Amino acid sequence: QVQLAESGGGSVEAGGSLTLSCAVSGSTLSRHCMGWFRQSPGKEREGVATIWTESDQFTYYSDSVKGRFTISRDSAKTTLYLQMNSLKPEDTAMYYCAIDFSFFGDKCDRPSVYKHWGQGTQVTVSS
């Protein structure tokens, strides 16, 4: 059974940094999309940063976080991270990690690709 456990959310002032972690268990993580998504009240869930385990070519960042956020995995490849720098109030949201098998990597930025989701961790950025 695939399980995702997120941690690292919290409250920070604008310009600050946070690192989110997502520990993955129950999956071999071969040919998988893995990613971070966020959702604010009244808005649709959006992709923040995603990867495909087989190639860096398909690493995706939304335009709103490009240059500020970095997605990565640990050497054992069982933990997904999201390093968030220069945080802005508009980054305030519930952040979710997600994974799913995908033979190809070109659709990893789409929430509809994912069946396995974490419980979410709140990030609040004050101005």
Side-chain angles (χ1 to χ4, degrees):
Q1 181 181 357
V2 176
Q3 291 187 320
L4 308 177
E6 298 129 331
S7 60
S11 297
V12 65
E13 291 185 351
S17 298
L18 284 173
T19 301
L20 305 183
S21 301
C22 176
V24 181
S25 60
S27 175
T28 60
L29 295 178
S30 174
R31 304 196 83 91
H32 272 64
C33 291
M34 302 178 73
W36 290 96
F37 298 80
R38 67 187 182 187
Q39 188 167 20
S40 303
K43 294 187 178 181
E44 291 187 358
R45 190 169 297 188
E46 63 170 346
V48 175
T50 64
I51 61 171
W52 187 50
T53 57
E54 307 309 301
S55 172
D56 291 340
Q57 176 185 356
F58 296 102
T59 299
Y60 162 85
Y61 292 97
S62 69
D63 289 342
S64 61
V65 307
K66 205 170 291 183
R68 300 187 297 121
F69 291 11
T70 303
I71 188 171
S72 64
R73 290 192 293 168
D74 67 343
S75 57
K77 301 184 179 181
T78 57
T79 302
L80 187 69
Y81 299 102
L82 184 67
Q83 174 67 44
M84 305 185 294
N85 298 326
S86 302
L87 282 160
K88 303 175 180 180
E90 51 263 45
D91 295 318
T92 295
M94 186 71 79
Y95 284 71
Y96 299 89
C97 70
I99 69 167
D100 212 329
F101 174 84
S102 181
F103 200 81
F104 300 107
D106 59 338
K107 296 180 176 62
C108 290
D109 60 313
R110 305 179 188 184
S112 60
V113 165
Y114 298 81
K115 289 195 294 291
H116 305 289
W117 294 84
Q119 79 283 359
T121 185
Q122 178 68 37
V123 171
T124 302
V125 184
S126 58
S127 57

